[in-house]
Amino acid sequence: MLEARGEFRVDLNEESFSALAQSDPLRAQDILIQDRLRVSCAHNSGEMLEISAQKTNRCDAFYRISPVNMGASKWYSIEYAPLIENVGSSNNFVAILDAASMQSTTIFAICRIFHPDGRSEDVSSRQIEIRKKRKKHVFSINTDGAETFLNDNIASYRIIFFIEARNVSTDIYGLQITSLATINQKNITNNVEEIRSVQKTSVLPRLKRDLNAKSRRGWRTKTKKPWALAKDVFIDFEQGSEQEVAVTRRDKHLVVDFSKATGRWRTLEFRFNEVKNTETVFALLHFQGMKLSTPALEVTLVLRQYGDNAGWTDVPIPVSLVLHAESKIEQHLIDVSSLLSNDHDYHRFGIFMFFPSGLGAVAIKELEVSVFDATSTHN
């Protein structure tokens, strides 16, 4: 379930904004701009930050942050304290920064976790570039590598954006923080329903591709070629004269048997057509009751972007996915926008699961992939 953790929007009518807009820019090393948003820099050699309040011709309000006396190797930070200190449980944060820069500069985000015993640890996102054009920049932060991220293991946490100073001004219009809650094994039904209702927006309606044993009655077929298991869900494997895949329904599971497909690869694809790239497009992979007939195997995830003239481009999805012989419940958040090219406003792509050659059969109770716009999440 995606949950809102906090939102900051520069407001023309905010008293602190009005006061700063009518005065000279502030200069300091540590400034609380508004509410829970703070900017700061190193206190070593006279580094300073200059803050001004401005608006565009369309009356869009923003804060301009200008580093002073900083070299190319220096960084300053924008720190946001989420409105919800009691985090619940989470393994992914999505931090969206609405910003522009006078010149190109680098930025990354971290989740700083404070433990009850006074220790802290940082979990970082990937590093991206801010350019002159105003844009919503998306940072996905996976906390799986941190210590158990639950209520009784943390005292508080902060989302901090680190910006390469380089004496380049940066304009901040707002930010939004959401998180993907860890599955509650004791309340599976509610979690699944919450995941399915995560997105309600007219900009990018939630698009769902679903594969489960209930989708057809009396599953029983064999195929020697690519085949549609369900609407926009396809099975494929390396072709050959003796290659074959069997699909049956057994014990409330859809069983896909690859034992006679001895080629190097076999895949399940969840295909999406004409998806508008809002720059904050994410996919949510959710499965339950999915297990193998073999020991644990790592599954490779790939985003295939279809182009003109039947061509395509494959990009690895940086998610670690291991399937086991026992039934498990898992969900993974995928930053789709970061993987799409900038060639088109609308995209046709498939999210692939590439199974290794050692796989015999995979049993699926339910496997669902949903695509949505993260900025329209209100849960």
Side-chain angles (χ1 to χ4, degrees), residues 332-351:
H332 298 274
L333 194 63
I334 301 167
D335 182 355
V336 172
S337 283
S338 68
L339 304 174
L340 294 173
S341 70
N342 296 320
D343 296 340
H344 303 89
D345 291 331
Y346 289 84
H347 298 266
R348 179 170 173 250
F349 61 87
I351 293 178

Side-chain angles (χ1 to χ4, degrees), residues 81-93:
L83 294 174
I84 305 174
E85 295 288 342
N86 188 358
V87 68
S89 62
S90 177
N91 57 14
N92 277 283
F93 282 94

Side-chain angles (χ1 to χ4, degrees), residues 22-78:
Q22 297 171 23
S23 66
D24 292 332
L26 290 176
R27 275 199 179 189
Q29 293 172 323
D30 194 324
I31 305 172
L32 180 64
I33 296 183
Q34 187 177 307
D35 193 16
R36 295 172 176 266
L37 195 72
R38 179 179 298 277
V39 296
S40 61
C41 63
H43 298 184
N44 300 326
S45 307
E47 298 92 338
M48 301 286 284
L49 291 174
E50 186 174 272
I51 313 295
S52 61
Q54 303 187 29
K55 64 183 181 68
T56 68
N57 293 332
R58 297 186 303 172
C59 291
D60 289 340
F62 63 93
Y63 288 104
R64 175 161 290 170
I65 305 172
S66 302
V68 181
N69 297 328
M70 292 192 192
S73 62
K74 299 295 179 64
W75 298 77
Y76 66 90
S77 67
I78 301 174

Side-chain angles (χ1 to χ4, degrees), residues 63-230:
Y63 288 104
R64 175 161 290 170
I65 305 172
S66 302
V68 181
N69 297 328
M70 292 192 192
S73 62
K74 299 295 179 64
W75 298 77
Y76 66 90
S77 67
I78 301 174
E79 179 176 320
Y80 181 74
L83 294 174
I84 305 174
E85 295 288 342
N86 188 358
V87 68
S89 62
S90 177
N91 57 14
N92 277 283
F93 282 94
V94 180
I96 302 171
L97 183 66
D98 187 356
S101 181
M102 303 303 289
Q103 299 178 38
S104 175
T105 192
T106 301
I107 184 171
F108 66 95
I110 68 168
C111 177
R112 178 161 292 167
I113 305 163
F114 298 92
H115 295 286
D117 60 4
R119 295 176 301 110
S120 66
E121 61 178 320
D122 293 345
V123 184
S124 178
S125 74
R126 65 188 176 95
Q127 193 167 281
I128 67 172
E129 197 172 31
I130 292 184
R131 300 187 180 183
K132 189 172 183 179
K133 182 180 178 181
R134 178 185 173 184
K135 179 180 177 182
K136 290 180 179 178
H137 302 82
V138 180
F139 304 85
S140 180
I141 306 172
N142 190 316
T143 60
D144 282 344
E147 295 183 22
T148 306
F149 198 46
L150 299 170
N151 293 339
D152 54 355
N153 291 88
I154 66 170
S156 62
Y157 68 102
R158 300 287 183 270
I159 302 297
I160 306 174
F161 301 90
F162 284 93
I163 302 178
E164 184 184 17
R166 298 181 57 246
N167 293 324
V168 176
S169 297
T170 302
D171 298 337
I172 306 299
Y173 293 82
L175 62 86
Q176 183 180 29
I177 310 295
T178 58
S179 70
L180 176 63
T182 303
I183 273 285
N184 180 352
Q185 301 282 349
K186 297 180 180 178
N187 198 3
I188 296 170
T189 303
N190 287 344
N191 273 288
V192 172
E193 291 306 314
E194 288 168 340
I195 290 168
R196 286 174 175 167
S197 63
V198 72
Q199 172 64 14
K200 294 179 181 179
T201 173
S202 59
V203 176
L204 177 59
R206 188 177 71 93
L207 306 172
K208 184 183 74 170
R209 303 292 181 260
D210 190 24
L211 183 63
N212 62 69
K214 297 179 182 179
S215 57
R216 283 193 189 181
R217 292 183 179 180
W219 275 100
R220 191 170 187 84
T221 190
K222 293 181 180 180
T223 182
K224 294 186 177 182
K225 60 182 180 181
W227 188 57
L229 282 167

